[in-house]
Amino acid sequence: MNWDPFLVCQPNENPPKPRDIHSQEGLGDRMRSAAFAELQATRAFEWASEHFNDVPQELKDDWVRLSKVEQEHLDAILNRMDELGISLTEKPVSSRLWDSLMQCKTGKEFCLFISSAEERGRQAGVKLCQFIKKKDPVTAAVFEKIVEEEVEHIALAEKYYGWKP
């Protein structure tokens, strides 16, 4: 998979730890990771909608729709990073989410796994907003919108398979 312009760690390599969240560099580390997670989700939802035939067509349609929303999230983060002068290529990111999703054998497994990942990302977004809201309300607003919209994504696992975070 071509992840340009992101720098991606080798499969067995851990990404560098994020710097202090109170610094511009630390904010950049978190935004870079979040942007890459959104890119992976965009591609994963597209892939799943074409790959899995063991799910209802309605779920496939939901995945196609969510891939577009994830792209909007990615674009919002990238735009804000550009406004702040934060580089995508300053530090490498991990493709473990993508690698794990590609191991899913069924549509149900994929749905549950990505919903769990989306919930972890949502929780991280909530924490990020708490840390930066006073210092950087514009970036906080970007992530607040994403956090709000992720709830619907996570709900697909409950709708189709009864899973709750």
Side-chain angles (χ1 to χ4, degrees), residues 60-103:
K60 287 182 173 198
D61 294 343
D62 283 336
W63 286 340
V64 169
R65 183 178 49 78
L66 290 186
S67 73
K68 294 174 182 158
V69 176
E70 297 292 2
Q71 182 65 51
E72 291 171 5
H73 294 171
L74 172 61
D75 292 343
I77 296 169
L78 293 178
N79 288 338
R80 185 62 183 147
M81 289 176 73
D82 187 53
E83 291 169 0
L84 294 171
I86 296 171
S87 170
L88 281 177
T89 59
E90 183 179 343
K91 291 178 86 175
V93 292
S94 172
S95 64
R96 284 192 186 132
L97 174 60
W98 175 262
D99 298 339
S100 296
L101 289 166
M102 294 302 102
Q103 299 301 313

